[in-house]
Amino acid sequence: VSSPFFPPNSSWDAAYERELQTFQDIGDTGEVWFGEESMVRIIRWLQKHKVPLDSSVLDIGTGNGVLLVELAKSGYMNLTGIDYSPSAIQLSEKVRDKEGMSNIKLKVEDFLTPSAELSGFDICIDKGTFDAISLDPSDAAGKRQLYVASLGRVLKPEGFFLITSCNWTKEELLNEFREGFEILDELPTPKFCFGGRIGNSVTALVFQRK
């Protein structure tokens, strides 16, 4: 399966290398997966539910780190971003430093094999990383299982998991995260019309760890 949103894993680094070069040349942060409305949607949900500003937040597959910058601008103080691409982390560090958000922590991590210190988060956010793992041609099903297991390790009991996906329906995500998580909320997302049928091109859900 291929997707216009997600290059194969081998080219993630190359994509971020290009964005890193572009940022150094003209200060452009590059692609924001799903666009800005997805970031606004996440932040609005956190604010609506009065999630404390000192809650520990993990951005899984942070990419250029723009979501963390927006969270910091909204007052969130305990922010960590991980990405398995060193080029992505280099880019997000430059974006963070340009914005003067020195309290954002960034590290190279493979979420499928997280380090021991990656634990105890109140909130985990995923915008497209689970999708990218799902498109991996080598054992995608096994990698999805590893992802769910990792999420159970890094997220505190009763912690929130906010996922935005363009590959999975609500029902499919409920099935993927049925072990150890329960759905709390479905966030409104843009709708598309195809062949007279209205559907959602993007699914955004909030789970709570049991």
Side-chain angles (χ1 to χ4, degrees), residues 95-142:
V95 171
R96 170 193 68 185
D97 296 345
K98 180 192 174 196
E99 296 284 351
M101 302 293 186
S102 57
N103 59 326
I104 295 173
K105 297 185 283 291
L106 297 162
K107 53 180 83 171
V108 177
E109 284 258 12
D110 181 352
F111 187 67
L112 301 185
T113 54
S115 60
E117 68 259 26
L118 209 68
S119 66
F121 286 93
D122 298 306
I123 299 146
C124 289
I125 300 174
D126 181 322
K127 286 167 62 262
T129 299
F130 187 71
D131 283 0
I133 287 167
S134 305
L135 295 171
D136 194 314
S138 59
D139 191 24

Side-chain angles (χ1 to χ4, degrees), residues 6-144:
F6 303 108
N9 274 357
S10 59
S11 61
W12 277 112
D13 256 327
Y16 283 120
E17 293 256 354
R18 284 195 301 275
E19 292 197 357
L20 185 58
Q21 191 59 52
T22 305
F23 183 81
Q24 287 167 331
D25 291 345
I26 62 169
D28 178 37
T29 56
E31 190 66 49
V32 179
W33 299 127
F34 301 106
E36 285 186 25
E37 89 280 346
S38 65
M39 294 195 293
V40 171
R41 196 183 304 130
I42 288 164
I43 291 166
R44 274 197 188 136
W45 189 89
L46 295 173
Q47 291 172 335
K48 178 183 170 187
H49 292 269
K50 298 184 170 53
V51 173
L53 294 175
D54 61 353
S55 301
S56 53
V57 179
L58 176 67
D59 187 18
I60 302 166
T62 196
N64 56 20
V66 170
L67 172 62
L68 292 172
V69 168
E70 292 304 315
L71 283 164
K73 286 178 180 177
S74 298
Y76 289 90
M77 299 171 279
N78 191 348
L79 302 169
T80 300
I82 60 167
D83 205 295
Y84 83 90
S85 163
S87 298
I89 293 300
Q90 272 187 282
L91 176 60
S92 56
E93 285 172 344
K94 288 182 183 299
V95 171
R96 170 193 68 185
D97 296 345
K98 180 192 174 196
E99 296 284 351
M101 302 293 186
S102 57
N103 59 326
I104 295 173
K105 297 185 283 291
L106 297 162
K107 53 180 83 171
V108 177
E109 284 258 12
D110 181 352
F111 187 67
L112 301 185
T113 54
S115 60
E117 68 259 26
L118 209 68
S119 66
F121 286 93
D122 298 306
I123 299 146
C124 289
I125 300 174
D126 181 322
K127 286 167 62 262
T129 299
F130 187 71
D131 283 0
I133 287 167
S134 305
L135 295 171
D136 194 314
S138 59
D139 191 24
K143 288 186 167 140
R144 293 200 306 271

